[in-house]
Amino acid sequence: MFKNHLNIAWRTIKKDKLFTFIKIGGFAVGIAACLLIALFIRNEISYDEHYTKKDQIYRVVFQGEVQGEVMKSTHFQLPFADALQSDFPEITKAGKVNTIEIFGAGKRGMRVSGQNENTFEENFILADQEAFDILEIQLDEGNPQTALSRPSSIVMSRSKADKYFPNGDALQQTIFLDNDTSKPYTVTGIMEDVPENSHLDFDFLLPIEDTNQNWTNQNYFTYVLVNPNTDIPALEQKMSLIVEKYIIPAQIKRGRSADFIDVLRTAEYKLQPVTDIYLKSDLKMQDGLKHGDIKFVWLFAAIAIFVLLLAIINFINLSTAKSANRAKEVGLRKTIGAFRNNLVGQFLTESMIFSIISFVLGVGLAWVLLPTFNQIAAKNMELPLSEWWFLPILLVAALLVGVLAGLYPAFYLSAFRPVNVLKGTLSVGSKSGRLRSGLVIFQFTTSVILIIGTLIIYRQMDFIVSKELGYDKERVVVLEGTNILGNKMEAFKEQLEGLSQVKSVTATNYLPIDGGSRNGNTFMVDDQDDGGRGVPAQKWRVDYDYIETLGIQLEKGRNFSKEYAYDSINSIVINSKMASELGLKDPIGKKLDNNSQVFTIIGVIEDFHFKSLKEDISSLSLVIGKDVGAVSIKLEKGNPADALASVEQVWNRTIPNQAMNYTFLEEEFAQMHADVQRMGSIFNSFALFAILVACLGLFALSAFMVEQRRKEISIRRVLGAPFKNIYQLLTLDFLKLIVISIGIAIPIGWYLMNRWLEGFAYHINIGWEIFSLAALIALGVAIVTISYQSIGAALLKPTKGLRTE
């Protein structure tokens, strides 16, 4: 019997090539889309799953409320981890990690002893021995118990060790960082490369050499390893004792006000599972690490399901639409004794064959598209063809989808009554189309929602690129790793300023881009009677030319000037947001206390964006200080290639045999929003998949409708019906369904995309022009899809449609 089912299925495939192509092609496209999205989701949710004790590893998060606003932080004091480990027996180990540039993390110049040229390397972090153990860093060479126990140690990844020591003799070799020969580092360990799906991305580990044991400076991530079966909520509640025992006494000693102490008493400590850090971290934490977005994971999962549903709907639509062509077959087989279950088995067998063929083609299509998808998503994913579970899951999925897709058509077709079929009184096909109409509406509702999403994402990306940022990012070249210049920095800067192609130069790594230095502090007005309310703010060390080079606008007061000697000691420039947070209507001349150091406000700058547009502008201050991690050069108008050539000549004269690493501020700004742009590109790609599948179904249905009404059209032509009337006859019914789809899709699309835009502090307003354009696109796509068949039918010679009569 099964062999007979296969033979009939094969004959059906060969008989209706167009419909077979659309059924299998639509299925294959849907399956390819689902596979690619599944790979993406699998990669996203796999972050930090490699830890063997992942259920016991947590990162500490500080949470407090200031003036009704919830503040969160992942940075803690140096002695905080030791206090946790000593005061709470539930915590087995507590370790510290530092990713802040001013402490030696981030980007640095590096060279092996005996070599002349420095290589610019990224991904340096600092950690203590406890963090080394908690994060399960595996050493290929060296002693894991002592790798970071001594100052001036360095642990490097296997790939970096092979790069610098191809002979395999890296251990105990001497390394110099930032061309500082006064402080040699010794390689004490070679670790396995950090997995790509780790929230911490590093190639070099340095020991923490900070000895500042006060409870006011917060610079370290704190990771803890808890005992199995620890009651986490109870431990979090107990951890608040840290505030009373250590932090409040330190702040009282600094002279903090009673109001400030009361705010501290509202503070809580939360333990964030290590597996939640990548996908489920709040933006307010501002940890500077790479993050995904769980909302995008759910969104892409929904798109995958919808694309597959669209392909299944195509199958059901085409199967029921072609019912007239199978009706006589069903009638004859029932007349000669076939039972309904035989017919159901036949149609389900056909459906599963279609599904298996589609899955094979879908896997092949996914394999072909995967390199492009990896490039768009900035991933390195592979089809798990070698995994034992992959092929069995595909086979089960193919059979399951085949059964689900074929279930309704099988029971629908097998229910035909032989007497009605053989008498020709069965009404099927075009007139039994309520279900098909509903499914077409579902398909195009989904497609229109995706079109709306695509348009809004595009508009938001354009808004980000073109928004006034409060500083001028154009024609600014950023030289990276300039720490290696050492005491030659001032001479180098002067030579650059002497170039005709250069407008101004500033030397600091505190830049409004990802990877720029950051330094969170607390400020309060010095002369307030109650001791003042602390305002969290960034404190950036810059030089005298910073404001001019970046084109930042002064709102009040003046810029830093070398004419005022005290500017380099106790003058400060704040942004408008900080003045507002401090409650200062006339801030010029006011004094601010920062860790017992008093600054005088000499200027207020207009607010500018130094973080992603997902976040609101926060308080920022500028002080004169030394930070030579980068040099930013504002170029005059002209050919940037000529200017760069001149800059490189100055570089080579100043520090020979060292490669000059540079980027453009504009490019770095774009990188700040690269994750959103990637997600937008992925969304757009799968939206196209969904629209393609929907159009394939509409094309097939219109082709079937033309076939069913071919004789009717021919008779109308003989009776003088013009082209216009026949075209309208074949298209209006479909266009009505598309209009209904648009009406349903607009409110759903508005709601969903409005929720997405809420994730941005600065975003576009959704106007009716977006919905109008989406409607026009949907109608245009539908008309083009339908018209191919409708125009052909309207131009058909009547003799061809009536020659069998």
Side-chain angles (χ1 to χ4, degrees):
M1 181 63 72
F2 181 69
K3 184 178 180 181
N4 182 55
H5 289 341
L6 289 178
N7 289 333
I8 295 172
W10 180 246
R11 285 202 298 268
T12 303
I13 289 173
K14 290 196 297 182
K15 182 180 178 182
D16 293 308
K17 291 185 175 61
L18 174 64
F19 284 82
T20 297
F21 170 77
I22 291 175
K23 275 186 180 181
I24 292 176
F27 249 144
V29 169
I31 290 158
C34 285
L35 272 176
L36 292 174
I37 294 176
L39 287 174
F40 176 81
I41 293 173
R42 179 171 176 252
N43 180 271
E44 289 288 282
I45 65 176
S46 70
Y47 270 75
D48 299 305
E49 290 286 337
H50 58 276
Y51 295 112
T52 59
K53 297 182 179 179
K54 62 187 178 187
D55 296 331
Q56 297 171 246
I57 301 174
Y58 294 84
R59 182 177 69 168
V60 185
V61 176
F62 174 87
Q63 182 173 305
E65 189 172 312
V66 179
Q67 292 187 326
E69 183 180 357
V70 175
M71 307 293 290
K72 294 185 180 182
S73 174
T74 52
H75 291 94
F76 296 92
Q77 304 86 351
L78 184 69
F80 179 74
D82 295 335
L84 288 178
Q85 190 166 332
S86 62
D87 291 7
F88 303 103
E90 299 94 332
I91 296 176
T92 306
K93 286 186 179 180
K96 302 177 287 293
V97 171
N98 191 321
T99 61
I100 301 174
E101 291 81 358
I102 58 175
F103 288 88
K107 306 172 182 178
R108 305 191 69 172
M110 186 181 109
R111 67 180 173 88
V112 177
S113 177
Q115 297 180 0
N116 294 322
E117 185 171 348
N118 286 272
T119 302
F120 186 66
E121 289 286 0
E122 304 184 23
N123 299 332
F124 283 84
I125 69 169
L126 291 79
D128 61 11
Q129 190 63 45
E130 286 74 17
F132 188 96
D133 298 335
I134 293 169
L135 297 175
E136 300 176 5
I137 296 169
Q138 302 296 317
L139 287 189
D140 291 340
E141 299 177 44
N143 186 347
Q145 304 302 318
T146 60
L148 292 177
S149 60
R150 296 192 301 274
S152 300
S153 302
I154 184 169
V155 174
M156 62 174 59
S157 65
R158 168 56 63 192
S159 59
K160 295 300 179 181
D162 291 343
K163 174 182 175 181
Y164 289 100
F165 306 99
N167 296 326
D169 55 348
L171 214 59
Q172 299 304 315
Q173 293 284 353
T174 300
I175 299 286
F176 296 112
L177 299 181
D178 300 326
N179 218 28
D180 183 3
T181 55
S182 66
K183 187 177 183 180
Y185 285 82
T186 302
V187 180
T188 55
I190 308 301
M191 63 183 176
E192 294 179 3
D193 285 0
V194 176
E196 289 184 4
N197 54 349
S198 170
H199 76 281
L200 274 177
D201 186 14
F202 58 94
D203 286 305
F204 303 94
L205 270 173
L206 301 174
I208 293 172
E209 300 180 23
D210 185 6
T211 58
N212 187 350
Q213 293 292 322
N214 72 54
W215 281 87
T216 56
N217 294 338
Q218 301 171 329
N219 301 304
Y220 298 91
F221 296 144
T222 300
Y223 294 87
V224 297
L225 179 70
V226 302
N227 292 320
N229 304 316
T230 296
D231 185 342
I232 297 301
L235 177 57
E236 290 174 336
Q237 192 169 3
K238 287 172 64 177
M239 285 169 59
S240 61
L241 297 173
I242 291 282
V243 177
E244 291 287 348
K245 186 175 181 180
Y246 300 104
I247 298 177
I248 287 178
Q251 296 295 349
I252 290 174
K253 187 176 180 181
R254 289 183 57 198
R256 292 297 197 188
S257 68
D259 288 343
F260 184 85
I261 301 303
D262 288 341
V263 170
L264 281 180
R265 288 197 170 99
T266 67
E268 299 177 298
Y269 293 107
K270 298 294 182 182
L271 294 177
Q272 182 183 28
V274 70
T275 51
D276 286 355
I277 294 174
Y278 175 74
L279 271 183
K280 300 177 183 178
S281 288
D282 194 317
L283 278 173
K284 292 179 180 178
M285 294 179 186
Q286 298 180 17
D287 56 15
L289 304 177
K290 62 180 179 181
H291 290 289
D293 190 336
I294 191 65
K295 289 184 292 185
F296 274 116
V297 170
W298 288 113
L299 173 64
F300 290 138
I303 290 175
I305 292 169
F306 277 122
V307 171
L308 188 59
L309 279 177
L310 295 183
I312 292 174
I313 286 169
N314 274 355
F315 185 91
I316 295 172
N317 260 348
L318 296 179
S319 296
T320 54
K322 293 288 285 181
S323 58
N325 296 17
R326 306 291 297 270
K328 289 183 179 179
E329 175 193 339
V330 172
L332 287 171
R333 292 182 67 183
K334 279 192 170 184
T335 300
I336 61 175
F339 294 105
R340 187 178 184 186
N341 63 328
N342 298 128
L343 296 170
V344 169
Q346 169 63 50
F347 292 124
L348 284 179
T349 300
E350 289 182 17
S351 176
M352 286 188 283
I353 290 172
F354 275 119
S355 181
I356 290 171
I357 295 172
S358 299
F359 263 80
V360 172
L361 293 176
V363 171
L365 183 60
W367 181 76
V368 170
L369 294 175
L370 188 56
T372 303
F373 183 58
N374 275 331
Q375 190 174 5
I376 294 172
K379 300 281 187 182
N380 188 25
M381 299 175 289
E382 295 179 351
L383 282 173
L385 297 173
S386 60
E387 299 284 350
W388 66 266
W389 49 264
F390 184 65
L391 291 179
I393 284 179
L394 280 183
L395 181 60
V396 171
L399 296 175
L400 183 61
V401 170
V403 169
L404 291 175
L407 209 55
Y408 176 79
F411 280 96
Y412 175 72
L413 293 173
S414 64
F416 290 165
R417 297 170 64 87
V419 63
N420 292 336
V421 172
L422 298 177
K423 282 183 177 181
T425 59
L426 182 68
S427 177
V428 293
S430 61
K431 294 185 181 178
S432 58
R434 288 185 180 178
L435 174 66
R436 289 198 302 279
S437 296
L439 295 178
V440 168
I441 289 172
F442 176 82
Q443 282 187 312
F444 267 84
T445 297
T446 303
S447 299
V448 174
I449 291 171
L450 293 174
I451 292 171
I452 290 170
T454 299
L455 293 174
I456 290 174
I457 290 172
Y458 174 80
R459 287 280 299 275
Q460 177 65 13
M461 290 300 98
D462 185 62
F463 171 79
I464 288 172
V465 171
S466 59
K467 187 182 186 305
E468 287 293 331
L469 300 174
Y471 67 92
D472 186 4
K473 64 181 184 294
E474 296 183 0
R475 303 193 316 280
V476 177
V477 178
V478 181
L479 305 184
E480 299 176 316
T482 51
N483 319 59
I484 62 175
L485 290 167
N487 56 14
K488 299 178 181 179
M489 174 60 77
E490 282 302 318
F492 176 68
K493 185 181 172 186
E494 288 176 8
Q495 290 183 67
L496 290 178
E497 289 171 337
L499 297 175
S500 61
Q501 302 105 318
V502 171
K503 188 173 183 180
S504 60
V505 182
T506 183
T508 180
N509 197 42
Y510 286 94
L511 296 170
I513 53 176
D514 280 344
S517 297
R518 295 292 182 267
N519 183 18
N521 277 251
T522 302
F523 292 84
M524 58 186 179
V525 180
D526 185 53
D527 57 357
Q528 289 183 349
D529 295 334
D530 63 356
R533 176 179 63 84
V535 170
Q538 285 289 313
K539 179 184 175 184
W540 289 10
R541 297 198 302 270
V542 300
D543 63 13
Y544 294 94
D545 302 304
Y546 184 83
I547 291 176
E548 178 191 356
T549 302
L550 293 190
I552 299 168
Q553 299 301 310
L554 270 171
E555 195 173 272
K556 296 177 183 176
R558 64 175 178 82
N559 191 0
F560 297 110
S561 172
K562 293 179 180 178
E563 295 179 4
Y564 301 93
Y566 55 81
D567 274 6
S568 63
I569 303 170
N570 59 7
S571 292
I572 191 169
V573 174
I574 65 175
N575 68 350
S576 180
K577 175 76 171 181
M578 186 169 172
S580 175
E581 291 285 316
L582 290 165
L584 298 176
K585 294 182 179 178
D586 185 18
I588 304 302
K590 295 291 191 295
K591 297 185 183 301
L592 299 180
D593 180 280
N594 169 232
N595 291 332
S596 300
Q597 184 177 4
V598 178
F599 292 94
T600 301
I601 301 173
I602 63 168
V604 177
I605 54 175
E606 292 182 2
D607 291 335
F608 67 91
H609 293 276
F610 56 91
K611 297 182 289 187
S612 162
L613 292 186
K614 285 185 173 182
E615 303 173 64
D616 202 354
I617 294 174
S618 57
S619 297
L620 172 74
S621 64
L622 307 177
V623 297
I624 294 297
K626 187 177 180 182
D627 183 276
V628 293
V631 171
S632 300
I633 308 165
K634 179 70 173 181
L635 301 179
E636 297 282 5
K637 292 181 180 178
N639 188 347
D642 294 340
L644 283 170
S646 299
V647 169
E648 191 162 17
Q649 287 177 2
V650 174
W651 174 272
N652 291 333
R653 285 199 304 269
T654 307
I655 185 165
N657 303 317
Q658 309 297 332
M660 184 180 81
N661 296 286
Y662 70 90
T663 183
F664 285 89
L665 193 62
E666 202 165 12
E667 294 174 356
E668 291 299 308
F669 171 77
Q671 280 296 113
M672 288 179 71
H673 302 92
D675 59 333
V676 181
Q677 290 177 324
R678 281 196 296 270
M679 294 304 169
S681 298
I682 295 170
F683 183 92
N684 295 346
S685 300
F686 290 113
L688 286 175
F689 270 113
I691 294 165
L692 173 62
V693 172
C695 287
L696 281 173
L698 191 60
F699 178 83
L701 281 180
S702 61
F704 169 75
M705 208 62 71
V706 167
E707 180 185 332
Q708 290 294 97
R709 305 181 75 172
R710 187 178 296 274
K711 291 177 183 178
E712 176 192 343
I713 294 167
S714 298
I715 292 170
R716 287 177 180 271
R717 289 291 307 278
V718 169
L719 295 176
F723 169 85
K724 176 184 175 183
N725 289 1
I726 293 174
Y727 180 78
Q728 289 177 346
L729 176 73
L730 296 172
T731 57
L732 280 179
D733 287 343
F734 283 115
L735 291 181
K736 288 176 185 176
L737 300 179
I738 306 305
V739 170
I740 294 171
S741 301
I742 292 169
I744 297 170
I746 285 175
I748 298 173
W750 176 85
Y751 172 77
L752 294 176
M753 296 313 297
N754 202 51
R755 289 291 303 273
W756 179 73
L757 288 172
E758 287 174 1
F760 293 86
Y762 304 90
H763 57 76
I764 62 169
N765 294 317
I766 303 176
W768 278 103
E769 71 279 0
I770 290 176
F771 301 119
S772 301
L773 181 56
L776 287 174
I777 291 172
L779 285 169
V781 169
I783 288 171
V784 169
T785 303
I786 298 166
S787 292
Y788 179 81
Q789 295 291 339
S790 300
I791 292 173
L795 297 175
L796 183 71
K797 292 181 180 180
T799 53
K800 289 187 177 180
L802 299 172
R803 62 186 174 185
T804 59
E805 297 300 315

